Amino acid sequence: MTADAVPKLAQCAAAKAIAEWGRPTADITHLVFSTYSACQAPTADLRLATLLGLRPTVSRTMLSLHGCYGGGRALSLAKELAENNRGARVLVACSEMTLVCFGAPDGGNIVGHALFGDGAGAVVIGAGPFLDGERRPIFEMVSATQTTIPRTEHALGMRVSGGGVDFHLAIQVPTLVGQNVEQCLLDAFRSAIVDDDDGGAAPPPSPCSGNGNGRWNDLFWAVHPGGRPILDNINKVLMLEPEKLAASRHVLREYGNMSGATIVFVLDELRRGRSPLPEWGALLAFGPGITIEAMVLRCPLHKSSAN
Ligand SMILES: CC(C)(COP(=O)(O)OP(=O)(O)OC[C@H]1O[C@@H](n2cnc3c(N)ncnc32)[C@H](O)[C@@H]1OP(=O)(O)O)[C@@H](O)C(=O)NCCC(=O)NCCSC(=O)/C=C/c1ccc(O)cc1
């Protein structure tokens, strides 16, 4: 069932993203599709390309079974594709049907049922130059890192069984994420380089200079809401003001944890916020491994960077 439904759900999100982007579907050069809810060949990215009518030469990449960090990985990969292929426009689609998947009848998936929801998100990623009629970027991805916490392979995962998907989530996951998240962020900021006004390269303001304390509050935050204790621990470790994680908490409350698709909902929520975002931001996503995706974001439309 999910083999059909996952690409169809993605189609709804992708059609909206392409319409907002403002260019013809045929101008999409690459597709990155992330899901762990559909496991078949031909893969769901091909089905989505057909449903959308993407051109036959579109370069497709399927990210399967990455779980909740799949959205972060898909965005990071799209950034690399766009920067290394002049004129590339990369459609990123993340689609998950978790509730159907977690179907084991023995009650063993109760945590999965409490936590997860279904959903799809899509965005179009490109590097300059801008095309006629193309919407200007809302977020710029400046740098990205992926970290695997050593010796945590068994902390979360899933296995397909006769009754559906057996999902395993160790109770220690929020603590492990909390203990490792600041180092991942520092690494991401250390690797960030941006073009300065003179056409050279310069690093963004570094939260490291304040040893993390307080400086994290200068950023906007797109955090995968893996669960309430995950957000609470990140809030505590980074000493964030409560409203910094408001977009993540809103998405968790309204939609649940939609695995890889969730981060797109958080970015959408952030851009719709009533008050203007700070210029710099951070994105975090977590999943099996335990893998942490961290990314430095920038709002190109922010007033100090818009001139
Ligand atoms: C939704 C929970 C499970 C329950 O929340 P709650 O209803 O507000 O209640 P509590 O947090 O107070 O916990 C209630 C009880 O459940 C227990 N509990 C608390 N986590 C647990 C637990 N993982 N086990 C088994 N008992 C527990 C907890 O100890 C407590 O037990 P007790 O004191 O005896 O009532 C909440 O604790 C929670 O969100 N926990 C953390 C979730 C978490 O680690 N998320 C993973 C983030 S990474 C991610 O999203 C990955 C996705 C993924 C996607 C696809 C994949 O294939 C693989 C991975």
Side-chain angles (χ1 to χ4, degrees):
M1 177 201 165
T2 55
D4 275 340
V6 165
K8 275 191 188 150
L9 196 59
Q11 182 192 9
C12 301
K16 277 193 204 167
I18 292 170
E20 190 177 333
W21 167 53
R23 296 282 306 177
T25 303
D27 286 357
I28 297 290
T29 57
H30 295 70
L31 170 64
V32 179
F33 193 118
S34 174
T35 189
Y36 81 93
S37 314
C39 219
Q40 84 276 342
T43 42
D45 57 329
L46 174 57
R47 183 80 192 116
L48 176 63
T50 306
L51 288 169
L52 290 171
L54 299 184
R55 64 195 201 196
T57 54
V58 73
S59 176
R60 294 180 282 109
T61 305
M62 185 73 209
L63 301 182
S64 289
L65 302 174
H66 285 50
C68 298
Y69 73 90
R73 186 87 301 247
L75 291 171
S76 168
L77 177 61
K79 163 183 157 57
E80 287 177 26
L81 289 169
E83 287 171 352
N84 289 301
N85 295 279
R86 193 172 164 77
R89 291 299 180 265
V90 188
L91 174 64
V92 171
C94 307
S95 178
E96 303 289 2
M97 303 207 67
T98 55
L99 291 178
V100 181
C101 285
F102 295 146
D106 60 1
N109 277 323
I110 192 158
V111 172
H113 282 132
L115 199 52
F116 286 94
D118 296 345
V123 287
V124 178
I125 309 283
F130 295 113
L131 307 172
D132 286 346
E134 182 174 38
R135 181 156 179 183
R136 291 291 182 268
I138 302 163
F139 297 109
E140 183 185 337
M141 295 185 277
V142 177
S143 69
T145 58
Q146 183 187 64
T147 308
T148 311
I149 307 175
R151 296 175 297 282
T152 58
E153 296 98 286
H154 304 295
L156 70 166
M158 65 108 141
R159 193 165 298 205
V160 179
S161 73
V165 172
D166 292 329
F167 177 71
H168 166 67
L169 180 65
I171 202 162
Q172 297 83 4
V173 171
T175 305
L176 288 165
V177 170
Q179 285 168 345
N180 289 278
V181 75
E182 188 160 36
Q183 189 56 52
C184 297
L185 286 162
L186 293 173
D187 291 342
F189 271 86
R190 231 171 260 134
S191 66
I193 300 286
V194 288
D195 294 336
D196 67 17
D197 293 342
D198 303 323
S206 171
C208 331
S209 58
N211 291 328
N213 298 335
R215 297 296 305 271
W216 298 122
N217 281 304
D218 294 347
L219 309 176
F220 65 89
W221 288 86
V223 179
H224 167 64
R228 184 188 42 75
I230 296 254
L231 295 177
D232 290 348
N233 278 5
I234 290 173
N235 206 115
K236 195 166 141 197
V237 167
L238 302 177
M239 290 181 273
L240 295 178
E241 290 151 10
E243 74 272 13
K244 290 288 171 184
L245 298 184
S248 300
R249 290 191 194 277
H250 173 84
V251 170
L252 183 63
R253 194 168 53 241
E254 293 298 315
Y255 307 101
N257 176 346
M258 294 163 286
S259 191
T262 326
I263 199 68
V264 181
F265 280 64
V266 175
L267 289 169
D268 188 43
E269 186 62 25
L270 278 170
R271 73 171 177 148
R272 290 174 195 282
R274 267 188 236 119
S275 36
L277 295 174
E279 179 174 4
W280 294 96
L283 178 150
L284 286 168
F286 329 96
I290 292 172
T291 306
I292 301 182
E293 297 277 344
M295 196 181 279
V296 177
L297 298 175
R298 186 189 200 190
C299 270
L301 302 178
H302 185 272
K303 58 181 181 320
S304 71
S305 59
N307 46 18

